[in-house]
Amino acid sequence: IMQLIGCVFQMPMFAYSKVLMQWMGPQNSVLAAAAAFVIRFLTYTFTTRVWQAFLLEPLQAPALVFTTLALAQYTTQIAPPGLEYTTGTLANTFSKLGSLTGLVFGGRLMASQSANTMFVITSTVIAIIMFIHITSLALTPSY
């Protein structure tokens, strides 16, 4: 059921992905995805019933869609002509390795501490990365 809820919210966002990327751009897409992750993970720490997680699942849509769109946009910007597919595959490989690393360390943390601790630490790390990203954008003259 959780996957169905996520897909229902993701499909319209992917359908209007071109409009979203023109409106937001890759930098703001990364920030929107990170914000969705932080809100979702921190809110999970306050849930006490399983049904409450269903209310948070729509936040998976912006987290996934904006991450995917920003990755695709950045890939097309840096890929040499004719190598867009190869560059995209390489970028996705690194993205999935990051997810795998998060799953392993997050799972170990959840097993040794608690789910709440894992969600707080994860959202804190993402918030710190968001801050670094915003600061680097502000300090980069081309933006």
Side-chain angles (χ1 to χ4, degrees), residues 67-137:
T67 301
T68 303
L69 294 178
L71 180 62
Q73 182 88 19
Y74 282 132
T75 300
T76 58
Q77 288 175 358
I78 66 168
L83 294 177
E84 292 89 354
Y85 181 77
T86 306
T87 306
T89 303
L90 184 62
N92 276 318
T93 300
F94 283 115
S95 173
K96 299 310 172 205
L97 284 174
S99 297
L100 178 64
T101 304
L103 285 171
V104 170
F105 287 116
R108 293 183 64 85
L109 183 62
M110 193 158 60
S112 67
Q113 301 295 315
S114 70
N116 282 352
T117 302
M118 188 266 305
F119 283 126
V120 167
I121 290 172
T122 302
S123 57
T124 303
V125 168
I126 294 170
I128 290 168
I129 292 170
M130 274 178 61
F131 175 76
I132 292 169
H133 183 69
I134 291 168
T135 303
S136 67
L137 287 175

Side-chain angles (χ1 to χ4, degrees), residues 24 26-38 59 62-63 66-67 130:
M24 294 184 69
Q27 293 87 5
N28 291 330
S29 295
V30 169
L31 294 175
F37 276 119
V38 169
L59 287 172
F66 288 135
T67 301
M130 274 178 61

